[in-house]
Amino acid sequence: MNEKKIIKEMVEQIPVPRQKIIDAIHSGTKRSPFYSKRKRGQIRLSIGLIAAFALFFASGFINPTIGRAFAQLPWIGHFYARNGDSLGEMMLEEGKTQALNLTETKNGINVTVNDAYYEGDILSFTGTVTGDIPNLNKENELSLEIAEQKIAVSEGTAFEEIKNGYKFQIHQRLSSEQIPDASTFLLEITTINGVKGPWTFSIPLKQSKGEKIDVDKTLDFGVDGLKYQLVSLNPSEKISTLDVQINQSKTDATIEGMKILDEEGNDLLFSKNSQLLDNGNQRLQLKELPKKNTKYTFEAVYEQNEYSKLISLEDKQTLLTSSFDPLSFQLLNSKVENGKAVITYQVKHAPKKSAFVHNLGYCLRISTKDYHAISDNNTDASDNASQTSSQVKVIDGEKGIYQNTFDLTEKEQLTTAALNELYFSVKFDEGITETQTVKASVIFYQ
């Protein structure tokens, strides 16, 4: 029985929605709920979440001996499938991962790196931890602290408990501007469940990739102060990447949910997760290189955040407005009694959002007059000088009249404040304003 058949039979016995995972990979929308958002250092995951771990990676190293190695370690394919790493699983079946079987022992704990792959800007390492592993917080957890590397950032890990330890899978993305064809990568695990090592592995990996393509084109989204520069394409066998430079004058604005659509509406993006590079650029993963003489449309949601000015709770004349949205607020009545502030106000030009009323309980603020000065210098003090959590009551939905009740006793500096000592402000953000979809089209090259 050949290796592919062994893998196929193993996978078929696993209760994993294979086609849904593959479809999600191609749509680029499925990701792990405990993804680490490019934080370096400690990574800790619970076994109860492991089945939901969805990763989008592939490898490009062709190892002629992988079939024999995998026949000896069939659990790797099973583990990839369990983790939702469908691409890693398929690359393993194609013989495009590297068998390593490297072991280090420190302080009674054995770490073995069995398998690795390198494709595009992605590094993946799979192995086991066995031996005298302390029980972490009386839970069956594996806590790995990964040392920072100059060119790679840990993106996440998954694990599964075994008889005398754990299986693990560590994923990293390159943060360097250059993506080498081949390099020796350092994997250093400094601490395992509180036990210090380090366990260090120097792992040579290579991939098949093309030469970098300079793009040097600027997208016009029609937004003042936003410059989105396409810098270069990095071709690779499975995952090509696009480096972009984003400059915007508004510090409280963000671009979310980016899509790169071809003329048929297919999204070119392989993953929604961008990687911050050492040079300040962002790197996007692509399913394939853009085609020549083809128009692609970049589509995203442009979100802005802005605080209104502060007005006294006794001020019934001033209209609080935003510079980027027609939404407005006007106080109608305010009172303070029994440690609570109750404000009634009218909203005009409210967006048609199902969560609008709910979000009113978090976007309005009661504070002291010197709140902003305090917050600029002392975060702890500013927290005690303002209250943003409140209970919302609809007074007249058609007229846009609402009432919010703030518990002042939760904040030290507000507990004894009188009505004339308190101020009102609004945070205009995506929770209560209209979201703005922005688009820009480009032909990458002729």
Side-chain angles (χ1 to χ4, degrees), residues 306-313 320 329 331 341 343 345 359-372 375 379 381-390 404 406 408 411 414 422-429 432:
E306 178 182 80
Y307 279 105
S308 72
K309 62 183 178 181
L310 271 70
I311 63 171
S312 169
L313 283 188
L320 297 183
F329 290 76
L331 286 175
I343 62 169
Y345 55 95
N359 292 336
L360 288 174
Y362 302 94
C363 294
L364 310 186
R365 184 189 303 273
I366 299 294
S367 68
T368 60
K369 185 177 182 180
D370 58 355
Y371 162 72
H372 284 298
S375 64
T379 304
S382 68
D383 183 60
N384 285 321
S386 71
Q387 174 64 287
T388 56
S389 178
S390 61
N404 285 38
F406 297 80
L408 303 181
K411 304 294 181 176
L414 304 181
L422 296 175
Y423 287 75
F424 174 61
S425 61
V426 178
K427 182 183 180 183
F428 292 92
D429 64 14
I432 59 172

Side-chain angles (χ1 to χ4, degrees), residues 47 109-110 127-133 140-142 159-168:
I47 287 178
I109 297 180
N110 314 303
T128 60
V129 178
T130 60
D132 301 326
I133 307 169
N140 294 325
E141 288 186 344
L142 177 64
F159 71 87
E160 178 185 358
E161 191 176 13
I162 57 178
K163 184 176 181 180
N164 190 33
Y166 302 89
K167 304 171 187 175
F168 68 84

Side-chain angles (χ1 to χ4, degrees), residues 227-411:
K227 181 181 179 182
Y228 200 94
Q229 182 81 17
L230 307 183
V231 179
S232 61
L233 287 162
N234 305 288
S236 193
E237 185 179 350
K238 299 296 181 182
I239 303 177
S240 295
T241 58
L242 169 66
D243 291 356
V244 300
Q245 184 182 73
I246 305 172
N247 294 306
Q248 53 186 13
S249 57
K250 296 181 179 180
T251 57
D252 290 333
T254 58
I255 297 177
E256 302 289 345
M258 179 64 73
K259 298 179 182 178
I260 306 177
L261 304 175
D262 64 16
E263 294 171 341
E264 285 74 41
N266 301 308
D267 194 353
L268 189 65
L269 280 180
F270 179 71
S271 169
K272 298 299 181 184
N273 310 315
S274 63
Q275 171 65 43
L276 178 64
L277 303 182
D278 295 335
N279 62 5
N281 291 344
Q282 297 278 344
R283 177 167 288 157
L284 305 174
Q285 294 176 330
L286 307 178
K287 299 173 185 175
E288 59 184 19
L289 282 176
K291 296 180 175 64
K292 291 183 178 181
N293 302 312
T294 301
K295 184 177 73 173
Y296 290 87
T297 300
F298 285 68
E299 180 179 303
V301 175
Y302 184 65
E303 297 178 349
Q304 299 185 66
N305 298 312
E306 178 182 80
Y307 279 105
S308 72
K309 62 183 178 181
L310 271 70
I311 63 171
S312 169
L313 283 188
E314 297 179 309
D315 185 347
K316 300 179 183 178
Q317 304 299 321
T318 303
L319 203 65
L320 297 183
T321 60
S322 162
S323 64
F324 63 87
D325 193 272
L327 183 66
S328 67
F329 290 76
Q330 184 172 12
L331 286 175
L332 302 177
N333 186 47
S334 304
K335 63 180 180 179
V336 174
E337 59 183 16
N338 300 323
K340 299 182 185 297
V342 181
I343 62 169
T344 306
Y345 55 95
Q346 185 172 25
V347 178
K348 292 185 178 180
H349 308 294
K352 295 180 179 180
K353 287 187 171 184
S354 58
F356 176 76
V357 175
H358 172 79
N359 292 336
L360 288 174
Y362 302 94
C363 294
L364 310 186
R365 184 189 303 273
I366 299 294
S367 68
T368 60
K369 185 177 182 180
D370 58 355
Y371 162 72
H372 284 298
I374 294 174
S375 64
D376 289 341
N377 299 299
N378 189 324
T379 304
D380 294 333
S382 68
D383 183 60
N384 285 321
S386 71
Q387 174 64 287
T388 56
S389 178
S390 61
Q391 294 181 339
V392 186
K393 180 180 179 181
V394 180
I395 303 299
D396 190 328
E398 291 187 3
K399 294 182 178 180
I401 299 175
Y402 304 91
Q403 186 178 86
N404 285 38
T405 301
F406 297 80
D407 187 352
L408 303 181
T409 63
E410 295 179 355
K411 304 294 181 176

